[in-house]
mmCIF file of all heavy atoms in Angstrom:
data_model
loop_
_atom_site.group_PDB
_atom_site.id
_atom_site.type_symbol
_atom_site.label_atom_id
_atom_site.label_comp_id
_atom_site.label_asym_id
_atom_site.label_seq_id
_atom_site.Cartn_x
_atom_site.Cartn_y
_atom_site.Cartn_z
ATOM 1 N N ASP K 1 -42.719 18.546 -72.891
ATOM 2 C CA ASP K 1 -41.343 18.435 -72.425
ATOM 3 C C ASP K 1 -40.411 19.293 -73.258
ATOM 4 O O ASP K 1 -40.679 19.591 -74.414
ATOM 5 C CB ASP K 1 -40.877 16.977 -72.492
ATOM 6 C CG ASP K 1 -41.621 16.096 -71.510
ATOM 7 O OD1 ASP K 1 -41.721 16.485 -70.332
ATOM 8 O OD2 ASP K 1 -42.111 15.029 -71.912
ATOM 9 N N GLY K 2 -39.290 19.629 -72.651
ATOM 10 C CA GLY K 2 -38.262 20.393 -73.350
ATOM 11 C C GLY K 2 -37.404 19.499 -74.222
ATOM 12 O O GLY K 2 -37.608 18.286 -74.293
ATOM 13 N N PRO K 3 -36.412 20.099 -74.893
ATOM 14 C CA PRO K 3 -35.613 19.364 -75.874
ATOM 15 C C PRO K 3 -34.799 18.208 -75.292
ATOM 16 O O PRO K 3 -34.604 17.196 -75.964
ATOM 17 C CB PRO K 3 -34.698 20.433 -76.486
ATOM 18 C CG PRO K 3 -34.738 21.584 -75.552
ATOM 19 C CD PRO K 3 -36.041 21.512 -74.828
ATOM 20 N N VAL K 4 -34.319 18.315 -74.065
ATOM 21 C CA VAL K 4 -33.519 17.230 -73.476
ATOM 22 C C VAL K 4 -34.382 15.990 -73.273
ATOM 23 O O VAL K 4 -34.002 14.873 -73.647
ATOM 24 C CB VAL K 4 -32.877 17.682 -72.149
ATOM 25 C CG1 VAL K 4 -32.226 16.520 -71.428
ATOM 26 C CG2 VAL K 4 -31.879 18.802 -72.404
ATOM 27 N N ILE K 5 -35.562 16.167 -72.707
ATOM 28 C CA ILE K 5 -36.447 15.027 -72.468
ATOM 29 C C ILE K 5 -37.025 14.521 -73.787
ATOM 30 O O ILE K 5 -37.209 13.315 -73.972
ATOM 31 C CB ILE K 5 -37.542 15.396 -71.443
ATOM 32 C CG1 ILE K 5 -36.885 15.688 -70.089
ATOM 33 C CG2 ILE K 5 -38.564 14.273 -71.317
ATOM 34 C CD1 ILE K 5 -37.816 16.225 -69.040
ATOM 35 N N GLN K 6 -37.293 15.405 -74.736
ATOM 36 C CA GLN K 6 -37.753 14.966 -76.057
ATOM 37 C C GLN K 6 -36.721 14.042 -76.702
ATOM 38 O O GLN K 6 -37.066 12.997 -77.261
ATOM 39 C CB GLN K 6 -38.041 16.155 -76.959
ATOM 40 C CG GLN K 6 -39.292 16.916 -76.567
ATOM 41 C CD GLN K 6 -39.513 18.159 -77.435
ATOM 42 O OE1 GLN K 6 -38.763 18.440 -78.347
ATOM 43 N NE2 GLN K 6 -40.579 18.888 -77.126
ATOM 44 N N LYS K 7 -35.452 14.410 -76.618
ATOM 45 C CA LYS K 7 -34.400 13.573 -77.204
ATOM 46 C C LYS K 7 -34.285 12.242 -76.474
ATOM 47 O O LYS K 7 -34.040 11.200 -77.093
ATOM 48 C CB LYS K 7 -33.070 14.315 -77.213
ATOM 49 C CG LYS K 7 -33.034 15.420 -78.244
ATOM 50 C CD LYS K 7 -31.734 16.183 -78.228
ATOM 51 C CE LYS K 7 -31.816 17.329 -79.229
ATOM 52 N NZ LYS K 7 -30.640 18.184 -79.189
ATOM 53 N N ALA K 8 -34.455 12.247 -75.168
ATOM 54 C CA ALA K 8 -34.435 10.989 -74.403
ATOM 55 C C ALA K 8 -35.567 10.085 -74.871
ATOM 56 O O ALA K 8 -35.374 8.884 -75.074
ATOM 57 C CB ALA K 8 -34.552 11.280 -72.906
ATOM 58 N N ASN K 9 -36.752 10.658 -75.053
ATOM 59 C CA ASN K 9 -37.888 9.884 -75.554
ATOM 60 C C ASN K 9 -37.578 9.272 -76.925
ATOM 61 O O ASN K 9 -37.875 8.104 -77.179
ATOM 62 C CB ASN K 9 -39.144 10.761 -75.648
ATOM 63 C CG ASN K 9 -39.844 10.942 -74.327
ATOM 64 O OD1 ASN K 9 -40.661 10.133 -73.940
ATOM 65 N ND2 ASN K 9 -39.518 12.004 -73.626
ATOM 66 N N GLN K 10 -36.986 10.064 -77.794
ATOM 67 C CA GLN K 10 -36.646 9.575 -79.133
ATOM 68 C C GLN K 10 -35.658 8.413 -79.069
ATOM 69 O O GLN K 10 -35.822 7.413 -79.785
ATOM 70 C CB GLN K 10 -36.054 10.706 -79.983
ATOM 71 C CG GLN K 10 -37.063 11.753 -80.366
ATOM 72 C CD GLN K 10 -36.427 12.988 -80.997
ATOM 73 O OE1 GLN K 10 -35.201 13.121 -81.039
ATOM 74 N NE2 GLN K 10 -37.254 13.904 -81.475
ATOM 75 N N ARG K 11 -34.633 8.516 -78.218
ATOM 76 C CA ARG K 11 -33.651 7.432 -78.091
ATOM 77 C C ARG K 11 -34.326 6.150 -77.620
ATOM 78 O O ARG K 11 -34.058 5.063 -78.144
ATOM 79 C CB ARG K 11 -32.536 7.824 -77.112
ATOM 80 C CG ARG K 11 -31.533 8.793 -77.667
ATOM 81 C CD ARG K 11 -30.348 8.955 -76.730
ATOM 82 N NE ARG K 11 -30.710 9.512 -75.436
ATOM 83 C CZ ARG K 11 -30.694 10.815 -75.142
ATOM 84 N NH1 ARG K 11 -30.339 11.701 -76.068
ATOM 85 N NH2 ARG K 11 -31.020 11.225 -73.933
ATOM 86 N N VAL K 12 -35.185 6.278 -76.633
ATOM 87 C CA VAL K 12 -35.872 5.106 -76.089
ATOM 88 C C VAL K 12 -36.737 4.446 -77.155
ATOM 89 O O VAL K 12 -36.693 3.223 -77.348
ATOM 90 C CB VAL K 12 -36.717 5.499 -74.857
ATOM 91 C CG1 VAL K 12 -37.611 4.363 -74.418
ATOM 92 C CG2 VAL K 12 -35.806 5.942 -73.721
ATOM 93 N N LEU K 13 -37.520 5.243 -77.862
ATOM 94 C CA LEU K 13 -38.414 4.687 -78.877
ATOM 95 C C LEU K 13 -37.635 4.105 -80.056
ATOM 96 O O LEU K 13 -38.051 3.084 -80.625
ATOM 97 C CB LEU K 13 -39.410 5.753 -79.336
ATOM 98 C CG LEU K 13 -40.388 6.206 -78.244
ATOM 99 C CD1 LEU K 13 -41.225 7.372 -78.743
ATOM 100 C CD2 LEU K 13 -41.266 5.066 -77.766
ATOM 101 N N GLN K 14 -36.502 4.687 -80.414
ATOM 102 C CA GLN K 14 -35.676 4.140 -81.499
ATOM 103 C C GLN K 14 -35.110 2.772 -81.126
ATOM 104 O O GLN K 14 -34.809 1.966 -82.002
ATOM 105 C CB GLN K 14 -34.543 5.108 -81.852
ATOM 106 C CG GLN K 14 -35.025 6.328 -82.590
ATOM 107 C CD GLN K 14 -33.937 7.400 -82.729
ATOM 108 O OE1 GLN K 14 -32.875 7.334 -82.112
ATOM 109 N NE2 GLN K 14 -34.231 8.415 -83.528
ATOM 110 N N ASN K 15 -34.971 2.522 -79.823
ATOM 111 C CA ASN K 15 -34.466 1.227 -79.350
ATOM 112 C C ASN K 15 -35.595 0.231 -79.088
ATOM 113 O O ASN K 15 -35.349 -0.829 -78.513
ATOM 114 C CB ASN K 15 -33.635 1.418 -78.077
ATOM 115 C CG ASN K 15 -32.310 2.082 -78.358
ATOM 116 O OD1 ASN K 15 -31.731 1.898 -79.416
ATOM 117 N ND2 ASN K 15 -31.828 2.868 -77.412
ATOM 118 N N TYR K 16 -36.819 0.582 -79.510
ATOM 119 C CA TYR K 16 -37.983 -0.309 -79.365
ATOM 120 C C TYR K 16 -38.214 -0.730 -77.913
ATOM 121 O O TYR K 16 -38.558 -1.863 -77.623
ATOM 122 C CB TYR K 16 -37.854 -1.529 -80.283
ATOM 123 C CG TYR K 16 -37.699 -1.152 -81.726
ATOM 124 C CD1 TYR K 16 -36.454 -1.166 -82.336
ATOM 125 C CD2 TYR K 16 -38.787 -0.716 -82.470
ATOM 126 C CE1 TYR K 16 -36.297 -0.777 -83.670
ATOM 127 C CE2 TYR K 16 -38.645 -0.333 -83.793
ATOM 128 C CZ TYR K 16 -37.399 -0.366 -84.384
ATOM 129 O OH TYR K 16 -37.256 0.022 -85.694
ATOM 130 N N PHE K 17 -38.016 0.220 -77.012
ATOM 131 C CA PHE K 17 -38.240 0.000 -75.591
ATOM 132 C C PHE K 17 -39.666 0.436 -75.287
ATOM 133 O O PHE K 17 -39.971 1.621 -75.281
ATOM 134 C CB PHE K 17 -37.228 0.830 -74.785
ATOM 135 C CG PHE K 17 -37.291 0.629 -73.295
ATOM 136 C CD1 PHE K 17 -36.541 -0.364 -72.694
ATOM 137 C CD2 PHE K 17 -38.078 1.450 -72.502
ATOM 138 C CE1 PHE K 17 -36.574 -0.537 -71.321
ATOM 139 C CE2 PHE K 17 -38.120 1.292 -71.128
ATOM 140 C CZ PHE K 17 -37.369 0.286 -70.530
ATOM 141 N N GLY K 18 -40.543 -0.522 -75.077
ATOM 142 C CA GLY K 18 -41.964 -0.234 -74.890
ATOM 143 C C GLY K 18 -42.408 -0.359 -73.448
ATOM 144 O O GLY K 18 -41.598 -0.490 -72.517
ATOM 145 N N LEU K 19 -43.708 -0.343 -73.279
ATOM 146 C CA LEU K 19 -44.302 -0.339 -71.945
ATOM 147 C C LEU K 19 -43.964 -1.599 -71.151
ATOM 148 O O LEU K 19 -43.655 -1.522 -69.960
ATOM 149 C CB LEU K 19 -45.820 -0.159 -72.056
ATOM 150 C CG LEU K 19 -46.565 0.236 -70.807
ATOM 151 C CD1 LEU K 19 -45.962 1.461 -70.143
ATOM 152 C CD2 LEU K 19 -48.029 0.473 -71.112
ATOM 153 N N SER K 20 -43.976 -2.767 -71.787
ATOM 154 C CA SER K 20 -43.670 -3.990 -71.025
ATOM 155 C C SER K 20 -42.223 -3.960 -70.522
ATOM 156 O O SER K 20 -41.944 -4.378 -69.387
ATOM 157 C CB SER K 20 -43.945 -5.242 -71.852
ATOM 158 O OG SER K 20 -43.107 -5.305 -72.974
ATOM 159 N N GLN K 21 -41.294 -3.438 -71.333
ATOM 160 C CA GLN K 21 -39.919 -3.317 -70.883
ATOM 161 C C GLN K 21 -39.796 -2.274 -69.767
ATOM 162 O O GLN K 21 -38.996 -2.431 -68.839
ATOM 163 C CB GLN K 21 -38.986 -2.945 -72.044
ATOM 164 C CG GLN K 21 -38.844 -4.024 -73.085
ATOM 165 C CD GLN K 21 -39.879 -3.893 -74.208
ATOM 166 O OE1 GLN K 21 -40.851 -3.153 -74.116
ATOM 167 N NE2 GLN K 21 -39.657 -4.639 -75.275
ATOM 168 N N ALA K 22 -40.591 -1.222 -69.866
ATOM 169 C CA ALA K 22 -40.583 -0.198 -68.816
ATOM 170 C C ALA K 22 -41.028 -0.793 -67.488
ATOM 171 O O ALA K 22 -40.418 -0.539 -66.446
ATOM 172 C CB ALA K 22 -41.469 0.982 -69.199
ATOM 173 N N TRP K 23 -42.099 -1.606 -67.515
ATOM 174 C CA TRP K 23 -42.555 -2.244 -66.272
ATOM 175 C C TRP K 23 -41.487 -3.182 -65.726
ATOM 176 O O TRP K 23 -41.301 -3.278 -64.509
ATOM 177 C CB TRP K 23 -43.870 -2.976 -66.467
ATOM 178 C CG TRP K 23 -45.043 -2.115 -66.820
ATOM 179 C CD1 TRP K 23 -46.040 -2.414 -67.701
ATOM 180 C CD2 TRP K 23 -45.391 -0.816 -66.302
ATOM 181 N NE1 TRP K 23 -46.952 -1.387 -67.773
ATOM 182 C CE2 TRP K 23 -46.590 -0.398 -66.921
ATOM 183 C CE3 TRP K 23 -44.801 0.029 -65.386
ATOM 184 C CZ2 TRP K 23 -47.198 0.826 -66.636
ATOM 185 C CZ3 TRP K 23 -45.400 1.262 -65.103
ATOM 186 C CH2 TRP K 23 -46.589 1.633 -65.726
ATOM 187 N N ASP K 24 -40.778 -3.882 -66.607
ATOM 188 C CA ASP K 24 -39.676 -4.747 -66.154
ATOM 189 C C ASP K 24 -38.597 -3.926 -65.459
ATOM 190 O O ASP K 24 -38.056 -4.329 -64.422
ATOM 191 C CB ASP K 24 -39.064 -5.515 -67.322
ATOM 192 C CG ASP K 24 -39.978 -6.575 -67.899
ATOM 193 O OD1 ASP K 24 -40.963 -6.959 -67.233
ATOM 194 O OD2 ASP K 24 -39.704 -7.017 -69.038
ATOM 195 N N CYS K 25 -38.283 -2.782 -66.015
ATOM 196 C CA CYS K 25 -37.276 -1.886 -65.446
ATOM 197 C C CYS K 25 -37.730 -1.378 -64.071
ATOM 198 O O CYS K 25 -36.954 -1.371 -63.109
ATOM 199 C CB CYS K 25 -37.026 -0.741 -66.408
ATOM 200 S SG CYS K 25 -35.575 0.260 -66.056
ATOM 201 N N VAL K 26 -38.990 -0.973 -63.986
ATOM 202 C CA VAL K 26 -39.538 -0.520 -62.705
ATOM 203 C C VAL K 26 -39.467 -1.646 -61.675
ATOM 204 O O VAL K 26 -39.059 -1.428 -60.528
ATOM 205 C CB VAL K 26 -40.994 -0.022 -62.861
ATOM 206 C CG1 VAL K 26 -41.644 0.204 -61.503
ATOM 207 C CG2 VAL K 26 -41.044 1.251 -63.688
ATOM 208 N N SER K 27 -39.834 -2.854 -62.080
ATOM 209 C CA SER K 27 -39.787 -3.995 -61.163
ATOM 210 C C SER K 27 -38.381 -4.239 -60.648
ATOM 211 O O SER K 27 -38.177 -4.548 -59.469
ATOM 212 C CB SER K 27 -40.312 -5.263 -61.847
ATOM 213 O OG SER K 27 -41.680 -5.139 -62.134
ATOM 214 N N GLU K 28 -37.393 -4.087 -61.524
ATOM 215 C CA GLU K 28 -35.999 -4.248 -61.124
ATOM 216 C C GLU K 28 -35.614 -3.196 -60.082
ATOM 217 O O GLU K 28 -34.986 -3.499 -59.064
ATOM 218 C CB GLU K 28 -35.081 -4.165 -62.338
ATOM 219 C CG GLU K 28 -33.623 -4.301 -62.015
ATOM 220 C CD GLU K 28 -33.219 -5.670 -61.519
ATOM 221 O OE1 GLU K 28 -33.901 -6.670 -61.867
ATOM 222 O OE2 GLU K 28 -32.236 -5.757 -60.763
ATOM 223 N N ILE K 29 -36.005 -1.959 -60.322
ATOM 224 C CA ILE K 29 -35.723 -0.882 -59.355
ATOM 225 C C ILE K 29 -36.429 -1.168 -58.033
ATOM 226 O O ILE K 29 -35.828 -1.053 -56.962
ATOM 227 C CB ILE K 29 -36.131 0.494 -59.920
ATOM 228 C CG1 ILE K 29 -35.298 0.828 -61.164
ATOM 229 C CG2 ILE K 29 -35.998 1.589 -58.853
ATOM 230 C CD1 ILE K 29 -35.839 1.994 -61.988
ATOM 231 N N ARG K 30 -37.697 -1.557 -58.109
ATOM 232 C CA ARG K 30 -38.466 -1.839 -56.890
ATOM 233 C C ARG K 30 -37.842 -2.989 -56.105
ATOM 234 O O ARG K 30 -37.750 -2.947 -54.874
ATOM 235 C CB ARG K 30 -39.926 -2.160 -57.251
ATOM 236 C CG ARG K 30 -40.777 -2.628 -56.078
ATOM 237 C CD ARG K 30 -40.807 -1.683 -54.877
ATOM 238 N NE ARG K 30 -41.438 -0.420 -55.222
ATOM 239 C CZ ARG K 30 -40.989 0.762 -54.794
ATOM 240 N NH1 ARG K 30 -39.939 0.857 -54.009
ATOM 241 N NH2 ARG K 30 -41.586 1.869 -55.146
ATOM 242 N N ASN K 31 -37.389 -4.035 -56.797
ATOM 243 C CA ASN K 31 -36.767 -5.173 -56.108
ATOM 244 C C ASN K 31 -35.489 -4.760 -55.389
ATOM 245 O O ASN K 31 -35.182 -5.285 -54.323
ATOM 246 C CB ASN K 31 -36.469 -6.306 -57.090
ATOM 247 C CG ASN K 31 -37.721 -7.006 -57.558
ATOM 248 O OD1 ASN K 31 -38.744 -6.999 -56.875
ATOM 249 N ND2 ASN K 31 -37.669 -7.599 -58.735
ATOM 250 N N ARG K 32 -34.753 -3.822 -55.961
ATOM 251 C CA ARG K 32 -33.499 -3.370 -55.349
ATOM 252 C C ARG K 32 -33.746 -2.384 -54.210
ATOM 253 O O ARG K 32 -32.961 -2.315 -53.256
ATOM 254 C CB ARG K 32 -32.611 -2.687 -56.390
ATOM 255 C CG ARG K 32 -32.087 -3.619 -57.461
ATOM 256 C CD ARG K 32 -31.228 -2.852 -58.442
ATOM 257 N NE ARG K 32 -30.901 -3.649 -59.615
ATOM 258 C CZ ARG K 32 -30.111 -3.241 -60.591
ATOM 259 N NH1 ARG K 32 -29.566 -2.035 -60.548
ATOM 260 N NH2 ARG K 32 -29.867 -4.009 -61.617
ATOM 261 N N TYR K 33 -34.814 -1.579 -54.324
ATOM 262 C CA TYR K 33 -35.073 -0.486 -53.375
ATOM 263 C C TYR K 33 -36.526 -0.555 -52.916
ATOM 264 O O TYR K 33 -37.383 0.174 -53.408
ATOM 265 C CB TYR K 33 -34.749 0.864 -54.020
ATOM 266 C CG TYR K 33 -33.317 0.937 -54.471
ATOM 267 C CD1 TYR K 33 -32.984 0.691 -55.799
ATOM 268 C CD2 TYR K 33 -32.310 1.210 -53.556
ATOM 269 C CE1 TYR K 33 -31.654 0.718 -56.205
ATOM 270 C CE2 TYR K 33 -30.975 1.234 -53.964
ATOM 271 C CZ TYR K 33 -30.662 0.993 -55.285
ATOM 272 O OH TYR K 33 -29.349 1.008 -55.690
ATOM 273 N N THR K 34 -36.782 -1.403 -51.952
ATOM 274 C CA THR K 34 -38.164 -1.669 -51.540
ATOM 275 C C THR K 34 -38.841 -0.483 -50.868
ATOM 276 O O THR K 34 -40.060 -0.384 -50.908
ATOM 277 C CB THR K 34 -38.214 -2.894 -50.610
ATOM 278 O OG1 THR K 34 -37.362 -2.653 -49.473
ATOM 279 C CG2 THR K 34 -37.761 -4.150 -51.332
#
């Protein structure tokens, strides 16, 4: 990835946002937009 996406990854990881939270986020999106 380029620098913009690398920085996004760093922000997410610094906030301790892991895979289980990512699946929760996906589920929220899926529930809103079937």
Side-chain angles (χ1 to χ4, degrees):
D1 293 311
V4 172
I5 295 173
Q6 288 177 2
K7 287 178 184 175
N9 279 274
Q10 290 170 354
R11 284 189 297 268
V12 170
L13 294 173
Q14 287 170 349
N15 289 328
Y16 303 101
F17 184 89
L19 196 52
S20 64
Q21 293 91 347
W23 296 142
D24 291 343
C25 193
V26 169
S27 294
E28 179 67 27
I29 297 166
R30 173 55 65 220
N31 289 335
R32 293 180 190 183
Y33 301 98
T34 57

